[in-house]
Amino acid sequence: MKRISLFLLCLFFCGAHLYAEDEGILLQFKYSKDDAYRILSTVNEVVKVNGRVHHKAEILNRIAVQVSNVDGKGRGFNEATFMTSESSVTNNAARFVWGDEYESKFWRDKSGIYEIPDKYFMPVVRDVPNFPDKPVKIGDSWTASGHEAHDLRRSFAIEKPFKVPFAATYKYEKDEKGLSSDGSNTEKTFQVISVNYKLYFENPIPAEVLSDYPVSTMGFSNQTLWWDNEKGQIDHYSENFRILIETALGNQLDFVGTAHAEVTDFKRTGTEENLKLVQEKVESLGLQNISVTKSEKGLTISLENIQFKADSAILQESEKIKIQGIAKILSEYPNDLLVSGHTALAGTEKERQELSEERADAVAQYLIKLGVRDQYHIFTQGFGAKVPIAPNNTEAGKAKNRRVEITILDK
């Protein structure tokens, strides 16, 4: 089980109304149809099994959310895509490969209560934050129930979310000035809210279970969120946590770590207008063997016939110059990037897959070196020869298939 950053998985477009200072602030979730945003968090975690360190991990969690409907009660219907990536290290630099994606669809009301079917495992933490129905002032506290819903399909073959209830204590700590996490360098006044809860849950073993099974869950979560009342949503948050699971066979799984996250509105790039603009910029820079397309994920710049040193993922100098030109275009769009590698039909399937991943990583690392994005806002993916765009029975077709695609992500 990987610990998924709590507020990353539970904060969905929050709104608030400011009352007169002596009345306090009424905090409410506020939804508008077609609102879209991205939540990105980093979790640093130590996992122990039976008291011994099993591994340490840096996990990047990314959620793309769109509010597709708002009902008469002010509830929002959220359609979300969750992606989790655990870092690996290449040349002493962290990289994040695009991981498995999970869809989730649910209603959430003004106070923060979910209505979500059991077929969805995300978000992990639900009904947090849960706001009171009256204004609050600095120093005010309140309590509200919530639960964690863990995905234990792989470790314990539990086919529904494993739910652990808790009671959370909230406190409106203070107002604090700071820069917005959206990259605008705008100074804002945030309402700082602490959220704390402890976990203790004993779970009876179902009669039909014949293998190991979680019988108790303990732990805690201490969180601080910075609320942007002017914008009406969470700006960023931090957390430290521990979860200890004991099983029927006497095993202990211990997860300890910290997390932080940012919430950013989507700026859609996959439009006809942007497609035309980027195509014009590619032409004006004199860049060859480059095409631009738009898709469901965003706007994609494809470097066809990209040149590496023989049988390697080392970029030729000519390609670095080309990528420098593309970097100027990418710098105008703040969204996350996905770099995908593709090969022609040569060698074994395993060799093609590994080469496509290595070449995608080479381009991503060069973009990071150029300062286009940091390693937490660029992802890589390899497809081998599985997604050709031309026949592999001609040299011209192979050249087109030997490509790296850079997608400016809209979701």
Side-chain angles (χ1 to χ4, degrees), residues 126-402:
R126 300 174 184 180
D127 305 338
V128 175
N130 189 340
F131 295 124
D133 59 1
K134 61 182 180 180
V136 294
K137 304 175 186 178
I138 293 175
D140 284 353
S141 298
W142 66 96
T143 59
S145 61
H147 65 276
E148 295 190 359
H150 294 284
D151 184 353
L152 301 182
R153 285 175 291 184
R154 291 182 181 177
S155 50
F156 294 102
I158 299 175
E159 294 302 318
K160 290 185 178 181
F162 184 78
K163 297 179 180 179
V164 180
F166 58 77
T169 300
Y170 298 81
K171 185 177 181 181
Y172 180 5
E173 299 284 355
K174 60 181 178 179
D175 288 341
E176 182 177 285
K177 288 189 176 181
L179 296 179
S180 173
S181 67
D182 62 8
S184 65
N185 289 323
T186 303
E187 187 174 74
K188 296 289 188 77
T189 297
F190 300 115
Q191 289 70 49
V192 181
I193 300 171
S194 62
V195 188
N196 303 284
Y197 61 83
K198 294 182 179 180
L199 295 170
Y200 185 78
F201 179 65
E202 293 187 357
N203 189 61
I205 303 175
E208 65 274 14
V209 172
L210 301 176
S211 58
D212 206 5
Y213 196 81
V215 294
S216 67
T217 305
M218 297 168 280
F220 64 85
S221 174
N222 299 320
Q223 308 156 13
T224 302
L225 64 90
W226 283 259
W227 176 275
D228 183 347
N229 195 51
E230 178 186 359
K231 195 173 183 180
Q233 67 178 33
I234 297 296
D235 184 85
H236 59 286
Y237 86 93
S238 65
E239 176 198 13
N240 63 83
F241 63 86
R242 182 182 184 186
I243 295 177
L244 179 64
I245 297 176
E246 294 185 341
T247 76
L249 296 182
N251 293 309
Q252 288 189 341
L253 308 176
D254 196 0
F255 306 84
V256 181
T258 61
H260 64 273
E262 61 187 39
V263 182
T264 305
D265 292 343
F266 269 138
K267 298 179 181 178
R268 182 164 172 73
T269 61
T271 65
E272 288 293 337
E273 180 182 4
N274 282 330
L275 176 64
K276 183 178 179 182
L277 283 173
V278 173
Q279 286 173 332
E280 290 173 351
K281 289 173 183 175
V282 168
E283 292 173 5
S284 69
L285 291 170
L287 302 176
Q288 302 297 314
N289 297 317
I290 290 179
S291 61
V292 186
T293 58
K294 63 184 182 71
S295 66
E296 189 177 282
K297 277 192 178 294
L299 197 66
T300 298
I301 301 172
S302 180
L303 291 78
E304 298 166 5
N305 196 27
I306 187 167
Q307 299 297 305
F308 294 85
K309 292 183 180 180
D311 300 318
S312 78
I314 302 173
L315 283 161
Q316 297 279 16
E317 290 303 315
S318 60
E319 300 306 303
K320 289 184 178 180
I321 294 171
K322 189 183 296 185
I323 293 170
Q324 289 168 17
I326 292 173
K328 295 177 182 178
I329 299 172
L330 296 174
S331 65
E332 298 179 22
Y333 301 91
N335 298 28
D336 298 335
L337 301 178
L338 174 60
V339 181
S340 304
H342 302 264
T343 68
L345 193 60
T348 67
E349 183 176 353
K350 181 181 178 181
E351 289 170 341
R352 294 192 296 267
Q353 181 63 34
E354 290 177 350
L355 187 59
S356 67
E357 292 172 1
E358 291 169 357
R359 289 181 169 179
D361 185 59
V363 172
Q365 294 300 327
Y366 192 59
L367 290 171
I368 292 169
K369 182 179 179 180
L370 293 173
V372 176
R373 299 289 190 278
D374 63 27
Q375 67 266 36
Y376 299 100
H377 294 81
I378 186 166
F379 305 89
T380 61
Q381 194 171 34
F383 289 95
K386 298 171 187 172
V387 191
I389 58 173
N392 273 298
N393 55 5
T394 67
E395 288 304 316
K398 290 178 180 179
K400 291 183 73 68
N401 291 331
R402 217 165 26 241

